[in-house]
Amino acid sequence: MGFIGSNFILRQLRESDDRIVNLDLMTYAGNPRNLESVVDTSRYAFVLGDILDRPLLSRIFQEHTPYAVVNFAAESHVDRSIVGPDDFIQSNIVGTFAILQESRRYWENLTEPNRSRFRFLHVSTDEVFGSLGFSDPPFQETSPYAPNSPYSASKAASDHLVRAYHHTYGMPTIITNCSNNYGPRQFPEKLIPLIILNAMEGKPLPVYGDGKNVRDWLYVDDHCEALACVLNQGEPSQMYNIGGRCEKTNLEVVRTVCGLLDEIFPDSAYCPHESLVTFVKDRPGHDRRYAIDCSKIESELGWRAATNFERGIRRTIRWYVDNRAWVESIRTGAYREWIREQYGLS
């Protein structure tokens, strides 16, 4: 019910004949509105539960007999991992172990051809590779792991578990490591939706440090296409980097959003929206640059990001403009308190 997972489910129901079983604990970033359009679809089933609940996982496997598991389940916000890492250890490490164990039990009891067809696809992040200098080459699948936050360390640990289950048990696992995603349905603690919504309401636009930290940006629909490609064509035991070939500083991203909002809302009282930019104290241990070399998935599987940044940002802004009810549904008191504490802003 989170950002990337819900977009992937919508994509699979639209583009494939798959039946989807969606297991989600519905923590703060999970939103039932993300999938309200498919709740009555016969090929979709929702199960409220925790990947740590192994009896529940076992029942799901026995009842639905899936040909694949795609693991999106993760606490994913670096700032939250700095303030409270406990949930990240439980969800990202212990949770991955639990679902690996139950997947392995299920897979070992499958008969051919279902046993050979089965895949365990683990969705991870480029942050496991650490930080790059401005002149360093982008991360490759062979780059050493060097996580610098509790979040990235927990994802690195989960990646190692997934790798180990292939090399120890022969389980057909695949790992993808993606760059920064953006697009519809992203929880507004993340940079792009936070900037869009704050700018539209005339609130400060918080930018960490000098704003020169660099990220590679990937439109979520392109990421979902890549995941479907890996699921259908990827080789067990392999890692695939997924990126948008779109490196930008955080300040460049904010200025692009502000410029488009000036264009869309020329009569806004807050034009120019860039005047709302507020530099705030930098995040502890803030990685300076991430960059992804995605030539492997491009050359071996034929995938390449199709959405350039300006087109993706326009679509994203339009989605948040047109879905104000979605925005208001997640703006709880707890969310407002988090923004206040994290950035010192109201």
Side-chain angles (χ1 to χ4, degrees), residues 2-268:
F3 169 45
I4 303 174
S6 63
N7 277 286
F8 179 77
I9 288 173
L10 292 171
R11 186 265 174 216
Q12 290 300 97
L13 290 174
R14 183 178 65 249
E15 302 292 338
S16 78
D17 295 326
D18 286 347
R19 291 186 300 112
I20 305 289
V21 181
N22 176 17
L23 172 64
D24 198 295
L25 187 57
M26 291 299 295
T27 54
Y28 77 95
N31 190 336
R33 286 179 178 265
N34 287 350
L35 292 170
E36 62 184 355
S37 65
V38 299
V39 291
D40 296 323
T41 302
S42 61
R43 293 191 292 118
Y44 172 75
F46 172 67
V47 178
L48 177 63
D50 195 335
I51 59 171
L52 290 163
D53 186 345
R54 289 176 57 178
L56 173 60
L57 293 174
S58 179
R59 288 197 299 273
I60 292 173
F61 277 116
Q62 296 309 311
E63 179 179 349
H64 294 282
T65 61
Y67 78 87
V69 172
V70 186
N71 182 27
F72 293 95
E75 296 287 339
S76 66
H77 193 40
V78 174
D79 292 336
R80 288 182 184 267
S81 81
I82 294 169
V83 174
D86 302 62
D87 288 343
F88 289 75
I89 303 304
Q90 287 300 310
S91 292
N92 299 358
I93 303 177
V94 183
T96 299
F97 167 70
I99 198 167
L100 278 168
Q101 279 286 79
E102 292 306 315
S103 297
R104 175 189 159 212
R105 287 182 55 197
Y106 169 73
W107 168 73
E108 287 180 337
N109 287 296
L110 290 174
T111 57
E112 296 295 352
N114 294 330
R115 182 181 171 93
S116 295
R117 185 190 184 202
F118 183 81
R119 295 291 183 270
F120 185 102
L121 174 55
H122 180 68
V123 181
S124 191
T125 171
D126 59 358
E127 297 191 36
V128 299
F129 300 121
S131 184
L132 292 169
F134 288 118
S135 61
D136 290 338
F139 297 128
Q140 297 179 318
E141 287 81 359
T142 55
S143 297
Y145 275 45
N148 291 319
S149 71
Y151 161 62
S152 57
S154 67
K155 287 299 289 182
S158 69
D159 289 8
H160 292 325
L161 283 170
V162 173
R163 172 186 168 87
Y165 269 64
H166 173 77
H167 287 276
T168 302
Y169 305 111
M171 192 169 145
T173 65
I174 305 174
I175 299 171
T176 58
N177 297 87
C178 70
S179 59
N180 280 40
N181 280 221
Y182 69 99
R185 304 176 186 85
Q186 188 171 30
F187 196 79
E189 66 189 355
K190 300 296 179 74
L191 176 66
I192 287 177
L194 176 66
I195 295 303
I196 293 170
L197 297 175
N198 277 17
M200 288 170 57
E201 297 169 4
K203 295 179 179 179
L205 309 182
V207 177
Y208 278 135
D210 60 7
K212 294 181 180 178
N213 299 75
V214 174
R215 300 294 183 262
D216 175 71
W217 292 94
L218 174 66
Y219 190 60
V220 67
D221 285 357
D222 288 340
H223 186 197
C224 293
E225 288 294 328
L227 292 173
C229 182
V230 170
L231 190 61
N232 292 326
Q233 302 177 45
E235 289 292 327
S237 82
Q238 293 299 299
M239 293 175 61
Y240 296 93
N241 283 350
I242 303 173
R245 294 192 180 275
C246 179
E247 289 187 54
K248 292 185 179 295
T249 67
N250 288 344
L251 195 55
E252 283 181 286
V253 170
V254 172
R255 286 172 172 164
T256 299
V257 171
C258 288
L260 290 174
L261 286 171
D262 291 348
E263 178 185 319
I264 295 168
F265 301 108
D267 298 326
S268 169

Side-chain angles (χ1 to χ4, degrees), residues 285-345:
H286 198 179
D287 288 340
R288 198 60 170 166
R289 173 176 169 247
Y290 303 144
I292 280 282
D293 179 349
C294 47
S295 56
K296 178 178 176 178
I297 189 173
E298 292 173 349
S299 62
E300 294 186 8
L301 305 186
W303 174 88
R304 189 181 182 95
T307 309
N308 67 36
F309 189 70
E310 181 172 343
R311 186 162 70 250
I313 283 290
R314 284 185 182 275
R315 291 177 184 172
T316 302
I317 292 172
R318 178 51 57 189
W319 189 89
Y320 283 97
V321 169
D322 293 343
N323 288 273
R324 299 296 294 177
W326 182 95
V327 173
E328 295 309 316
S329 74
I330 50 86
R331 280 188 161 173
T332 62
Y335 169 69
R336 288 194 297 271
E337 182 62 26
W338 165 257
I339 293 297
R340 192 157 43 242
E341 289 180 1
Q342 188 61 32
Y343 300 110
L345 304 173

